[in-house]
């Protein structure tokens, strides 16, 4: 519990699919898909990942020129890429901005997050693909933000950090699954015994009525 952290230090699809990072079984198909994915960062991506910010939730109409204008006030930009659909050319709503200095990166991440641009509130964070070990992108069921196929959420990122797990004082959190299952079985057994007892008493009373009437 002492090593618990609200932000993932290493990407694990199973933990990212858990609100407190303690799940031991996947609970949706996207997590299954991410766990079986064999993903390697795109070698075609250039630039320094430690000086790059990820900008998401952009208005589809927001252009490279607009992003350049807004983010250049935080420092000198070395490279800017707005990700577009390879067929239609339309913006996919996210991009990457590489700065020349670390202080510019820090300033952009701090001040540009939740900035409203073209009626859209931006999400700004460090690049994850090349800096977070084990990273699986959203399209493969991974990621740390947004909603997936049926509204499934992912946790462990800046936008949706893990919630601190409850310390039940009964050993590791992972053991609670077995303990909870055992308790549930005991409860069901007691319920069945209770119903069986009362059913037997009810039948005895019915027989008593038939005999003496």
């Amino acid at each position: 519990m002492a090593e618990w952290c609200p932000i993932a230090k290493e990407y694990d699809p199973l933990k990212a699919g858990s609100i407190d990072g303690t799940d031991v079984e996947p609970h949706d198909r996207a997590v299954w898909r991410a766990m079986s994915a064999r993903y390697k960062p795109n070698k075609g991506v250039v630039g320094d990942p430690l000086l790059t910010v990820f900008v998401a939730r952009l208005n589809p109409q927001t252009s490279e020129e607009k992003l350049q204008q807004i983010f250049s006030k935080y420092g000198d930009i070395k490279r800017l890429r707005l990700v577009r659909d390879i067929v239609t050319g339309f913006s996919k709503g996210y991009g990457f901005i590489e700065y020349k200095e670390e202080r510019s990166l820090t300033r952009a991440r701090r001040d540009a997050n939740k900035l409203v641009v073209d009626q859209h509130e931006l999400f700004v964070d460090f690049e994850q693909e090349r800096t977070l070990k084990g990273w699986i992108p959203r399209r493969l069921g991974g990621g740390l933000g947004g909603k997936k196929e049926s509204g499934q959420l992912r946790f462990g990122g800046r936008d949706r950090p893990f919630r601190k797990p409850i310390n039940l004082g009964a050993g590791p959190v992972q053991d609670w699954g077995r303990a909870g299952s055992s308790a549930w079985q005991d409860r069901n057994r007691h319920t069945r015994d209770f119903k069986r007892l009362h059913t037997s008493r009810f039948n005895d009373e019915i027989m008593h009525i038939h005999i003496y009437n």
Side-chain angles (χ1 to χ4, degrees):
M1 190 66 68
E3 298 179 355
W4 180 86
C5 181
I7 303 298
K9 296 180 180 179
E10 183 174 325
Y11 193 78
D12 183 340
L14 184 58
K15 290 184 178 181
S18 167
I19 194 170
D20 60 3
T22 62
D23 283 7
V24 294
E25 293 184 3
H27 68 277
D28 64 54
R29 288 177 297 176
V31 172
W32 276 113
R33 191 166 71 251
M35 290 174 66
S36 60
R38 296 292 179 267
Y39 178 77
K40 293 183 179 180
N42 186 354
K43 293 183 178 180
V45 177
V46 297
D48 187 345
L50 299 179
L51 291 177
T52 303
V53 290
F54 169 66
V55 184
R57 301 173 189 166
L58 293 166
N59 187 315
Q61 303 304 318
T62 300
S63 64
E64 286 88 347
E65 291 74 18
K66 186 68 173 285
L67 285 179
Q68 181 81 31
Q69 176 187 346
I70 293 170
F71 282 87
S72 60
K73 67 181 182 181
Y74 302 113
D76 293 332
I77 294 176
K78 184 177 181 180
R79 188 177 288 103
L80 184 151
R81 181 169 71 99
L82 177 62
V83 179
R84 294 181 176 276
D85 186 279
I86 194 171
V87 177
T88 65
F90 294 151
S91 168
K92 289 190 173 184
Y94 67 94
F96 300 89
I97 300 172
E98 181 188 359
Y99 284 96
K100 294 182 179 180
E101 299 178 319
E102 185 177 352
R103 61 181 180 179
S104 302
L105 171 92
T106 304
R107 194 180 300 123
R109 181 178 182 267
R110 181 191 65 212
D111 298 339
N113 189 49
K114 296 188 177 181
L115 182 70
V116 177
V117 177
D118 295 334
Q119 293 80 48
H120 278 225
E121 185 177 88
L122 305 186
F123 172 70
V124 181
D125 199 2
F126 299 129
E127 180 189 334
Q128 304 284 4
E129 181 177 18
R130 294 179 291 168
T131 59
L132 190 62
K133 184 179 178 181
W135 174 254
I136 301 293
R138 181 177 173 179
R139 71 175 186 272
L140 297 178
L144 291 173
K147 294 184 178 180
K148 307 300 179 293
E149 301 157 337
S150 303
Q152 308 104 317
L153 301 178
R154 296 291 175 268
F155 301 88
R158 182 187 189 190
D159 188 41
R160 195 176 293 110
F162 292 126
R163 295 186 184 179
K164 196 163 188 177
I166 299 173
N167 186 359
L168 299 172
V173 177
Q174 287 82 355
D175 291 343
W176 174 242
R178 291 191 293 272
S181 176
S182 177
W184 181 256
Q185 290 172 358
D186 289 343
R187 180 181 175 183
N188 285 342
R189 185 164 54 252
H190 290 316
T191 301
R192 289 195 301 269
D193 291 343
F194 178 82
K195 289 181 178 179
R196 190 180 298 113
L197 175 62
H198 280 262
T199 300
S200 177
R201 287 180 178 177
F202 177 77
N203 290 337
D204 289 345
E205 291 176 0
I206 293 296
M207 290 295 295
H208 184 273
I209 292 173
H210 280 296
I211 292 172
Y212 291 95
N213 289 292

